[in-house]
Amino acid sequence: MKLQRKNRLRATALGALAVSGALVLTACGSDDNSGDTSATGGKTKAASNVKCDGAKGQLRASGSSAQKNAMDLWVKEYMAACSGVEINYNSSSSGEGIVAFNQGTVGFAGSDSALKPEEVADSKKICKTGQGINLPMVGGPIAVGYHLEGVDSLTLDAPTLAKIFDTKIKKWNDEAIAKLNPGAKLPDKPIQPFHRSEDSGTTQNLGKYLGAAAPQDWKYEAEKKWPAPGGQAASGSSGVASQVKQVDGSIGYFELSYATSQQISTVDIDTGGSAPVKATSENASKAIAAAKVKGTGKDLALELDYTTKAEGAYPMVLVTYEVVCDTGNKADTLGTVKSFLGYAASADGQKLLSEAGYAPIPEEINAKVRETVAGLS
């Protein structure tokens, strides 16, 4: 009951912060900010640590819907500190964000997968003197949410998940599911799997996990476009979560904060360790901590271990990157890009992630992110 109460409180807090559609937040520069203002001249303690040097005008960005709730939090704090600056983050999809970045219509893009070689090549047309690079900024578990009346706890492993999303397992009382959930009253009800309708980094990361942890049962390449036949599609992480929330017998995948904010039950993952692992930011951090930088130069793309059996490590994780030009950024937005991303990568910015169900980037990696952001030109 305490856990449920905690989740409800967290969901309420997140709901108050979330906005639908594109995020358009403008810093008013007012001294009428909430929080302790006694020592900060009208700004909250967190906002007083934001460095607004060089920030001005409007900054457009778009991409990953998985990081939307993190962006909501960051922009809220940033707008409390930087007068006259407007941050417009369009929460669409990783694929759409990369397209917008390579068309030069946004200052940075959010993507749940690192740039492909051909996308890096395209970025050189926009970055002029440089190229697009990946800056890991948000980590977290890909939660598998489900709606099954009468079943409050559910454990699945990678092979079973693969067969469910490939529509090979069609009923909730299938023997494979029952074996993983002894004593559960599983109904003789059709499984309705939901997936993303548009190109999605979350889809690609799910594919990487299933391909690595269940190679015999998931034969598809890890791509942003949903590869398997069957199932039903919905737009964005919010759309998949909304369908799972409404439809009894459904299952889908999305960033944990969507499950938390809508009070959607999530699957525990049997990794082969001593006990199934819950989808929490803490457990995701244990998996992300083992990531290694595979990018070269200023690129900080990470390599994750999707087959980890480490105690308490939740293996189905994603890292969302902010994609920027290393050099050749537009002069009119460079200052704001550096200021905003510098705050997101700061200790204060990363601290907000845990409070919202995300996993902060490990400090060793995050220190490199801050250094790279400071050197953007």
Side-chain angles (χ1 to χ4, degrees), residues 69-150:
N69 291 333
M71 277 289 169
D72 286 356
L73 291 166
W74 284 334
V75 176
K76 176 178 180 291
E77 291 298 326
Y78 188 82
M79 76 180 227
C82 299
S83 177
V85 181
E86 180 181 298
I87 306 294
N88 181 327
Y89 183 79
N90 180 27
S91 171
S92 51
S93 70
S94 297
E96 292 172 86
I98 296 303
V99 169
F101 178 76
N102 281 340
Q103 289 177 341
T105 60
V106 295
F108 72 87
S111 177
D112 305 333
S113 294
L115 291 168
K116 294 180 179 179
E118 59 268 28
E119 292 170 336
V120 174
D122 286 344
S123 73
K124 294 179 180 179
K125 302 171 187 175
I126 297 301
C127 298
K128 303 299 183 185
T129 59
Q131 65 181 44
I133 57 173
N134 305 282
L135 301 179
M137 204 73 74
V138 182
I142 300 174
V144 177
Y146 71 96
H147 180 174
L148 192 58
E149 296 295 337

Side-chain angles (χ1 to χ4, degrees), residues 154-156 180 268-278 283 312:
L154 186 68
T155 295
L156 297 173
L180 291 164
D268 298 343
I269 302 298
D270 184 342
T271 64
S274 62
V277 185
K278 294 186 177 299
N283 292 343

